[in-house]
Amino acid sequence: MSKKYLYLLGIITIMLIFAPGCLRLLELRQKNKALLAHIEELKTENQYLDRRAHLLESDPFYIEKAARDKIGMGREGELRYRFVYESQEQSDDTNGTDD
């Protein structure tokens, strides 16, 4: 065999040995990038929740608003609207009395 073929055979052997590892490395880098993005989303959500928890502990106006929103009540003189979606209307029609 000539040196040219031995050189080519060496390159192919090296590629066969290291190619799976390189592909795995690329997969892991992509996964790492996705996980870092997810971590940033969670940090943002955590900051929001920390701020909300602080307001619920210390701000009486925020506490009142959160409570009124949760139970659907309004202050005297306030108008509150309830939106009914199609799926709710259909279930209300089937649960009503027959005319």
Side-chain angles (χ1 to χ4, degrees), residues 13-78:
T13 304
I14 290 172
M15 287 176 62
L16 289 174
I17 292 171
F18 291 109
C22 290
L23 293 175
R24 179 74 176 140
L25 180 63
L26 290 174
E27 286 176 17
L28 291 174
R29 283 185 179 169
Q30 288 176 340
K31 187 175 182 178
N32 188 38
K33 195 176 202 180
L35 289 172
L36 289 174
H38 186 64
I39 287 170
E40 288 303 315
E41 290 172 11
L42 291 175
K43 282 181 180 179
T44 302
E45 183 181 357
N46 195 28
Q47 288 174 347
Y48 165 76
L49 292 173
D50 283 343
R51 177 73 177 140
R52 186 159 188 249
H54 175 71
L55 288 172
L56 285 170
E57 292 171 352
S58 62
D59 187 350
F61 295 107
Y62 189 82
I63 294 168
E64 179 186 347
K65 181 184 180 319
R68 286 188 299 118
D69 287 344
K70 185 166 185 137
I71 60 175
M73 294 187 69
R75 286 184 167 172
E76 188 176 323
E78 279 186 338

Side-chain angles (χ1 to χ4, degrees), residues 3-19:
K3 287 184 180 182
K4 188 177 185 181
Y5 290 114
L6 288 175
Y7 181 71
L8 185 60
L9 183 62
I11 290 176
I12 291 173
T13 304
I14 290 172
M15 287 176 62
L16 289 174
I17 292 171
F18 291 109

